[in-house]
Amino acid sequence: SPLTFTKKYQNVPRSMKENRRLRPLLKEIQSHLHFSIMVAFQYAIKHQDGERLKNLINVYKSYAAVEFRKVTPLELAVERGHFEAVKILVESGYAHLETKKPRNFLSIPAGKGNLKILRYLIEQGGVSPDKRDRDQKTALEVARKKKQRHIVSYLEGLGKKQGPPASESKAKPE
């Protein structure tokens, strides 16, 4: 299991980790560890196993921002529409972790028309609806392109509640 493997790797003496001849082997061990952890995350998300997901988060918190096949655990949960997994990951702080490439977790549910996940990410996760994805599009632009009218009206409603950005507001001279 990944947990057993991690404990064994952490118990490797420092002198061994610094040994030049052993570095390639230790890097390979780390690579296998990374792979097995991400597979465990994917399994828990795919099978909506909340308890297993919580255990993985407690043990492997740092793997939230790691990409496996260019997808983070939160992206996978959002893409598959697994609300409980999204909720667990957001409550654990995964919505704001930095990854190598900037992410916009809102484009996926906006394009698929999943209002429940979209609302949760914005209202509970604190994800900004103005954030752009890899293609430099906002969730609103994606929803318009995919003709998700209920998503468009929700996101436009958010814009009206927030008012214009500070740079656009005009102060009245007194």
Side-chain angles (χ1 to χ4, degrees), residues 62-91:
S62 62
Y63 279 86
V66 176
E67 297 176 5
F68 177 69
R69 296 185 180 154
K70 299 183 181 180
V71 177
T72 64
L74 181 58
E75 278 181 303
L76 182 66
V78 168
E79 187 175 294
R80 298 235 171 129
H82 297 325
F83 180 74
E84 287 303 315
V86 169
K87 188 175 177 182
I88 291 167
L89 290 164
V90 168
E91 288 172 357

Side-chain angles (χ1 to χ4, degrees), residues 38-162:
M38 293 310 293
V39 167
F41 266 106
Q42 285 188 335
Y43 180 86
I45 291 166
K46 181 179 179 182
H47 296 284
Q48 299 185 38
D49 188 344
E51 198 59 40
R52 180 176 289 190
L53 189 56
K54 287 176 186 174
N55 290 337
L56 285 167
I57 290 167
N58 289 334
V59 176
Y60 304 110
K61 181 81 173 166
S62 62
Y63 279 86
V66 176
E67 297 176 5
F68 177 69
R69 296 185 180 154
K70 299 183 181 180
V71 177
T72 64
L74 181 58
E75 278 181 303
L76 182 66
V78 168
E79 187 175 294
R80 298 235 171 129
H82 297 325
F83 180 74
E84 287 303 315
V86 169
K87 188 175 177 182
I88 291 167
L89 290 164
V90 168
E91 288 172 357
S92 300
Y94 280 41
H96 298 288
L97 289 175
E98 294 297 320
T99 55
K100 288 181 183 178
K101 294 181 181 178
R103 301 279 192 235
N104 178 359
F105 300 114
L106 300 179
S107 291
I108 299 166
K112 291 186 173 195
N114 193 330
L115 184 59
K116 184 177 181 179
I117 289 180
L118 183 82
R119 287 181 76 152
Y120 187 81
L121 288 170
I122 293 171
E123 295 171 9
Q124 302 299 318
V127 179
S128 171
D130 299 324
K131 194 172 179 183
R132 297 189 175 274
D133 64 9
R134 294 178 192 154
D135 299 325
Q136 297 302 309
K137 294 188 183 334
T138 64
L140 181 59
E141 293 168 343
V142 171
R144 280 189 181 131
K145 183 179 178 185
K146 299 283 185 171
K147 296 180 173 61
Q148 301 291 346
R149 291 188 184 114
H150 60 294
I151 302 288
V152 170
S153 63
Y154 170 74
L155 291 170
E156 285 176 342
L158 285 178
K160 290 176 185 172
K161 288 179 189 173
Q162 294 173 350

